[in-house]
């Protein structure tokens, strides 16, 4: 964040304030992401899992032998190694995963899906898919779903290689990778920080 601020100061250029359509897109993304995450997270909780639990279990269930190097798993789900380590410890205490040494690298460690973890993901997956359909896909036409997929891929292509940095930043500020900051952003005078100061908040 400091580097970004310094770069803006050195450029000494007028900020490119968001126009009405851009603001609708940005605020819509924030609110949509938050509400959908809360709704789907609530449904997952009924199966005894959290979003982080599901991310880890789903990733391990899709790999040969239901095991993966911890560093590879962190990269796959765009988390810092520290955050993943804490999450694995919580899941180990519940018997969902375990850790073992890597046969090909004594310094490496593997995250391993346990039988209880496999059963948990198998039980949760059908309801999770229906939750995604109910909260995200049903309000959209097939064309809109395709457009949403294209938009997501276009945005994510610009983030390629930055996942690790984002994960570390999210951990440093107490946030959670995958959560979007920005709700209630203000310039100190009650105006949204993304709107030109002379314009009224949307």
């Amino acid at each position: 964040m400091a580097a970004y601020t310094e770069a803006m100061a050195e450029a000494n250029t007028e900020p490119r304030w968001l126009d009405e359509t851009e603001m609708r897109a940005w605020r819509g993304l924030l609110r949509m992401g938050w509400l959908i995450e809360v709704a789907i997270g609530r449904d997952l909780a009924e199966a005894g899992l959290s979003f982080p639990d599901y991310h880890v279990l789903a990733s391990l269930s899709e790999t040969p032998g239901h095991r993966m190097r911890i560093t590879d798993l962190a990269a796959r789900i765009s988390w810092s190694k520290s955050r993943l380590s804490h999450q694995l410890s919580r899941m180990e205490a519940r018997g969902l995963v375990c850790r073992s040494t890597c046969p090909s690298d004594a310094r490496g460690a593997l995250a391993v899906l346990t039988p209880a973890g496999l059963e948990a993901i198998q039980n949760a997956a059908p309801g999770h898919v229906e939750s995604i359909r109910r909260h995200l896909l049903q309000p959209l036409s097939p064309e809109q779903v395709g457009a949403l997929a294209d938009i997501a891929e276009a945005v994510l292509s610009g983030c390629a290689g930055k996942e690790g940095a984002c994960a570390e930043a999210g951990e440093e500020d107490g946030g959670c990778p995958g959560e979007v900051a920005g709700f209630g952003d203000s310039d100190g005078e009650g105006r949204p920080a993304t709107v030109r100061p002379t314009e009224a908040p949307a």
Side-chain angles (χ1 to χ4, degrees):
M1 184 63 182
Y4 170 80
T5 304
E6 291 173 4
M8 288 293 293
E10 290 176 1
N12 195 28
T13 58
E14 174 71 9
R16 296 187 298 164
W17 302 107
L18 302 184
D19 62 28
E20 183 177 353
T21 300
E22 291 168 335
M23 179 60 74
R24 283 179 55 220
W26 173 238
R27 288 188 168 177
L29 171 65
L30 292 178
R31 185 165 176 79
M32 177 181 70
W34 181 73
L35 291 176
I36 288 176
E37 184 169 349
V38 169
I40 296 178
R42 186 183 299 118
D43 291 343
L44 267 178
E46 294 180 3
L49 298 176
S50 66
F51 251 127
D53 292 338
Y54 196 92
H55 285 324
V56 172
L57 293 177
S59 295
L60 291 176
S61 71
E62 295 167 355
T63 60
H66 297 160
R67 62 190 62 220
M68 185 183 297
R69 285 175 62 103
I70 291 176
T71 52
D72 294 338
L73 178 58
R76 177 168 178 164
I77 59 181
S78 301
W79 287 2
S80 69
K81 289 182 287 185
S82 175
R83 185 192 177 197
L84 178 58
S85 179
H86 289 303
Q87 177 64 30
L88 290 175
S89 293
R90 289 189 289 268
M91 296 176 72
E92 276 187 299
R94 294 155 58 201
L96 299 175
V97 299
C98 64
R99 285 181 252 209
S100 68
T101 56
C102 179
S104 60
D105 183 0
R107 296 174 299 175
L110 298 174
V112 182
L113 186 65
T114 65
L118 180 59
E119 181 180 4
I121 190 70
Q122 289 174 335
N123 290 338
H128 183 54
V129 170
E130 285 306 311
S131 180
I132 293 171
R133 292 191 179 281
R134 181 168 64 255
H135 298 300
L136 175 63
L137 302 179
Q138 283 183 0
L140 305 178
S141 68
E143 293 74 18
Q144 288 174 321
V145 172
L148 179 60
D150 290 341
I151 291 168
E153 289 171 0
V155 173
L156 291 173
S157 68
C159 298
K162 301 176 183 177
E163 294 92 340
C166 291
E168 296 292 349
E171 185 170 291
E172 288 175 4
D173 66 15
C176 169
E179 293 175 353
V180 183
F183 283 109
D185 282 356
S186 170
D187 63 358
E189 298 181 8
R191 292 184 293 255
T194 45
V195 179
R196 181 185 296 274
T198 57
E199 297 175 356

